[in-house]
Amino acid sequence: MAEPTRRVVVGGTGTEIGKTHVACALATTLVSRGLTVGARKPAQSFDPGSDPTDADLLGAATGEAPEVVCPPHRCYARAMAPPMAAEVLGAPPVHLADLLGELTWPPGSDVVLFESAGGLRSPIALDGDTLDLAAGLRADVLVVIADAGLGTINAVRQAAELTDRHVPDPHLVVHLNRFDDVDELHRANLAWLRAREGLAPTTTVAALTDAVLG
C-alpha cells in the first residue's frame, strides 16, 4: 500500500478538549481543497449511551465508514482509556504494535489524520500513548489541541516539552480551540505563547490547515 504523503497525529492537552471536533473540521477543510484524506482512530472508548462515536464523526468528515475509521474490535463501550476499557470488558489486551499493524488508509492518500485518545500521555495501549503512536507512525505533524482560557500556557508548555523530549521529529502545531478574539485572556495567552515560548498557535481551522500542509 502506498504511503500517505502526510501523516498527521491529532492529540490534546487533555480529555474533552475538542480533538474530534477539530479533527473533523480539519478533514473537511482538507477535502474541500481537493485532497484525498483518510481519518483513523486506532482505538476508541466511549459511554455506551453516547451517539455518535468519534469514528462516526470522523467517517462523516472524510466519507469513510465508521468501521474503517476504527475497527469494531477496537471500539470499547466504557468511558475510560482504551486498554483499561478492554480489561474491564474482558477483551484481549491492547498493544501498540497491534494497533499500528492494523492501520490502513485510502490508496493515494494526501493526508491521513490519526486521532488519539485523551491527552498526550493518556494510554491508548498498555505500552503506548499519543507520543508513542506518533513515533510509531513516523508522523510528519503532531497537532496538539489546547483550550484558550485559564491554564492554557501551562498545558501548552508541558505539551511542547513532552513532544520535544519524546518525539522531536514531527512538526508540532498547537491549536487553541474555541479561541475568542474579544476575550482578553485568550488574546493574552496567544501573545505570550508567541512572544515568550516561540510557538505559533493557530486559532482558526483555515490557519490550522495551512500549518499542517506547510
Side-chain angles (χ1 to χ4, degrees):
M1 181 183 300
E3 297 290 316
T5 301
R6 184 148 297 203
R7 302 178 186 220
V8 181
V9 172
V10 181
T13 56
T15 55
E16 302 301 323
I17 206 73
K19 290 192 307 297
T20 303
H21 172 77
V22 174
C24 289
L26 174 59
T28 300
T29 305
L30 289 166
V31 170
S32 73
R33 295 191 182 186
L35 300 175
T36 301
V37 182
R40 295 295 179 265
K41 183 93 173 178
Q44 69 172 356
S45 51
F46 49 88
D47 189 311
S50 65
D51 186 44
T53 67
D54 291 351
D56 291 324
L57 295 171
L58 290 166
T62 59
E64 299 170 290
E67 60 269 22
V68 172
V69 175
C70 183
H73 67 284
R74 297 300 182 190
C75 299
Y76 306 102
R78 270 298 188 280
M80 52 181 67
M84 298 169 63
E87 184 176 5
V88 168
L89 294 170
V94 183
H95 295 286
L96 184 62
D98 294 329
L99 297 183
L100 292 170
E102 293 168 357
L103 290 171
T104 61
W105 38 78
S109 298
D110 297 304
V111 181
V112 179
L113 305 176
F114 302 89
E115 189 194 338
S116 67
L120 291 183
R121 305 251 55 180
S122 296
I124 195 170
L126 289 171
D127 53 353
D129 53 30
T130 299
L131 297 178
D132 297 313
L133 177 68
L137 284 167
R138 292 175 286 112
D140 301 291
V141 181
L142 173 60
V143 176
V144 176
I145 311 301
D147 189 41
L150 286 173
T152 294
I153 293 173
N154 175 68
V156 170
R157 289 184 69 189
Q158 288 181 334
E161 290 171 4
L162 284 170
T163 301
D164 187 59
R165 189 182 312 148
H166 293 279
V167 281
D169 291 337
H171 174 55
L172 174 65
V173 176
V174 175
H175 180 74
L176 301 185
N177 193 25
R178 309 182 186 101
F179 181 86
D180 185 349
D181 194 47
V182 303
D183 188 302
E184 181 182 21
L185 177 59
H186 289 196
R187 295 199 312 270
N189 284 339
L190 178 60
W192 181 287
L193 291 171
R194 285 174 171 169
R196 296 179 179 271
E197 303 301 329
L199 297 171
T202 60
T203 60
T204 67
V205 174
L208 173 60
T209 305
D210 290 339
V212 165
L213 295 177

